[in-house]
């Protein structure tokens, strides 16, 4: 039996009154509500009547019986709502130098979130370092172009991810990204290690898949090159990810591992991203975004 059928069956078998003062307040609201221009009052009345029915059901159902209260308690509870806003900006146009930094702040619409506070402090510390580096040293070295932007890349009922992107051009260009995550169920900031049980060696499994994807890309496109152990061009190579490697969830709930420019290959490779496909990874995933 579905949950909807269970509700209907329970409602038919138990009697409970809707409080009179509740229905009176609904009637008063309907009478006082002005009609919107070009719209009949009847449509507002229908909408509020439906809303009143839903509210009455919400009031009555948890008190219908202990069994019904237990059923309601088993439903998933959505976490607080999070959003990101530009908290402040830092702009400089000085000769050949250009600096534009958007400093975001994560806002918790429900309550004070420890995760939001931690992320806001980390973002502030990072952007303050960039500003201080420019003001103290870098602006005297000639051409300097710095842009820092942000965007929300994941926002579901369970998960929130903010991406901070930094583009710096001096003698050459560099692109870096930082990802900040909040588990909405707890309001806490999370990292890659929190996605898996301790007994699962996610570092090895993910690293092996990344190396396999890198080799496949090089075989498919001679312009892509990655520094792997069998690379004859150098002694520095990619072997394993950091246990707290940057990541994010895509729109399909898949884990994406991004790398900064020059992190796993030459500048010509750019800032590659890899979507993980290994079934074992998702079989051990503790969080479903």
């Amino acid at each position: 039996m579905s949950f909807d059928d269970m509700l209907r069956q329970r409602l038919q078998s138990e009697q409970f009154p809707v409080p009179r003062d509740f229905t009176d307040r609904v009637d008063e609201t309907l009478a006082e509500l002005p009609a919107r221009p070009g719209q009949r009052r009847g449509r507002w009345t229908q909408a509020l009547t439906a809303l009143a029915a839903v509210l009455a059901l919400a009031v009555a159902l948890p008190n219908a019986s202990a069994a019904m209260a237990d059923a309601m308690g088993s439903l998933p509870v959505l976490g607080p709502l999070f959003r990101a806003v530009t908290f402040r900006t830092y702009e400089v146009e000085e000769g050949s130098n250009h600096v534009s930094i958007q400093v975001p702040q994560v806002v918790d619409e429900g309550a004070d979130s420890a995760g939001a506070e931690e992320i806001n402090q980390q973002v502030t510390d990072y952007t303050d370092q960039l500003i201080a580096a420019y003001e103290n040293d870098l602006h005297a070295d000639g051409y300097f172009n710095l842009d820092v932007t942000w965007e929300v890349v994941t926002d579901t009922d369970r998960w929130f991810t903010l991406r901070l992107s930094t583009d710096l051009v001096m003698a050459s260009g560099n692109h870096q990204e930082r990802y900040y995550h909040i588990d909405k169920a707890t309001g806490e900031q999370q990292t890659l290690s929190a996605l898996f049980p301790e007994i699962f060696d996610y570092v090895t499994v993910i690293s092996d898949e990344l190396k396999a994807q890198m080799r496949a890309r090089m075989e498919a496109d001679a312009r892509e090159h990655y520094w792997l152990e069998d690379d004859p061009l150098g002694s520095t190579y990619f072997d394993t990810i950091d246990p707290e490697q940057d990541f994010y969830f895509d729109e399909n709930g898949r884990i994406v591992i991004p790398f900064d420019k020059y992190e796993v290959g030459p500048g010509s490779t750019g800032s590659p991203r890899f979507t993980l496909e290994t079934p074992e990874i998702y079989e051990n995933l503790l969080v479903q975004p």
Side-chain angles (χ1 to χ4, degrees):
M1 179 185 298
S2 69
F3 187 76
D4 289 347
D5 292 336
M6 183 181 68
L7 287 180
R8 294 190 184 96
Q9 186 181 77
R10 183 66 65 179
L11 289 171
Q12 292 170 358
S13 64
E14 300 197 28
Q15 299 296 322
F16 48 86
V18 175
R20 178 64 184 177
D21 61 339
F22 177 81
T23 58
D24 290 342
R25 290 197 301 272
V26 171
D27 291 338
E28 293 173 0
T29 301
L30 290 173
E32 296 174 359
L33 185 66
R36 290 174 56 187
Q39 185 174 34
R40 296 179 181 177
R41 182 183 298 275
R43 296 181 64 184
W44 277 103
T45 302
Q46 294 172 3
L48 277 182
T49 301
L51 175 61
V54 172
L55 291 175
L57 192 63
V59 170
L61 280 180
N63 298 293
S65 68
M68 184 60 67
D70 290 341
M72 294 289 287
S74 66
L75 292 176
V77 178
L78 298 182
L81 298 177
F82 291 88
R83 62 187 177 93
V85 298
T86 298
F87 178 64
R88 65 188 175 99
T89 59
Y90 179 85
E91 303 278 350
V92 173
E93 295 291 343
E94 183 181 36
S96 60
N97 297 319
H98 161 82
V99 179
S100 176
I101 299 177
Q102 298 179 22
V103 183
Q105 185 176 56
V106 178
V107 180
D108 180 356
E109 302 286 3
D112 293 333
S113 164
E117 293 179 1
E118 292 173 0
I119 290 173
N120 292 338
Q121 187 60 55
Q122 292 166 13
V123 169
T124 297
D125 291 344
Y126 173 65
T127 52
D128 282 351
Q129 289 175 2
L130 291 175
I131 293 171
Y134 171 77
E135 293 179 341
N136 295 336
D137 302 307
L138 299 180
H139 72 284
D141 295 334
Y143 179 74
F144 184 92
N145 190 307
L146 173 64
D147 287 283
V148 178
T149 58
W150 63 268
E151 66 177 311
V152 175
V153 294
T154 308
D155 189 9
T156 68
D157 290 341
R158 178 65 189 271
W159 200 261
F160 178 91
T161 297
L162 173 73
R163 175 167 62 206
L164 198 66
S165 300
T166 302
D167 288 283
L168 174 62
V169 179
M170 294 177 69
S172 61
N174 196 4
H175 177 82
Q176 294 183 336
E177 296 175 351
R178 294 189 172 202
Y179 291 81
Y180 305 90
H181 313 278
I182 294 178
D183 184 341
K184 292 186 178 182
T186 64
E188 297 178 353
Q189 184 179 9
Q190 299 292 357
T191 56
L192 184 63
S193 61
L195 301 184
F196 304 100
E198 293 183 4
I199 60 173
F200 178 57
D201 185 9
Y202 70 95
V203 171
T204 298
V205 176
I206 292 177
S207 299
D208 288 346
E209 179 179 349
L210 289 173
K211 288 183 285 188
Q213 287 198 31
M214 290 176 184
R215 291 189 172 93
R217 290 188 182 186
M218 287 190 290
E219 291 179 1
D221 188 347
R223 294 170 296 181
E224 287 203 48
H225 187 84
Y226 297 95
W227 296 323
L228 299 176
E229 187 173 9
D230 52 1
D231 183 359
L233 300 180
S235 58
T236 301
Y237 57 88
F238 170 75
D239 185 34
T240 61
I241 62 169
D242 185 281
E244 304 301 354
Q245 184 80 30
D246 266 333
F247 76 97
Y248 65 92
F249 289 107
D250 67 11
E251 64 276 7
N252 298 315
R254 294 292 183 178
I255 298 174
V256 180
I257 303 294
F259 288 99
D260 290 337
K261 193 174 181 180
Y262 304 108
E263 188 175 1
V264 293
S268 59
T269 300
S271 304
R273 307 172 189 268
F274 299 87
T275 301
L276 303 181
E277 302 292 347
T278 302
E280 186 181 4
I281 293 173
Y282 298 98
E283 292 168 0
N284 285 275
L285 198 61
L286 297 177
V287 177
Q288 298 295 332

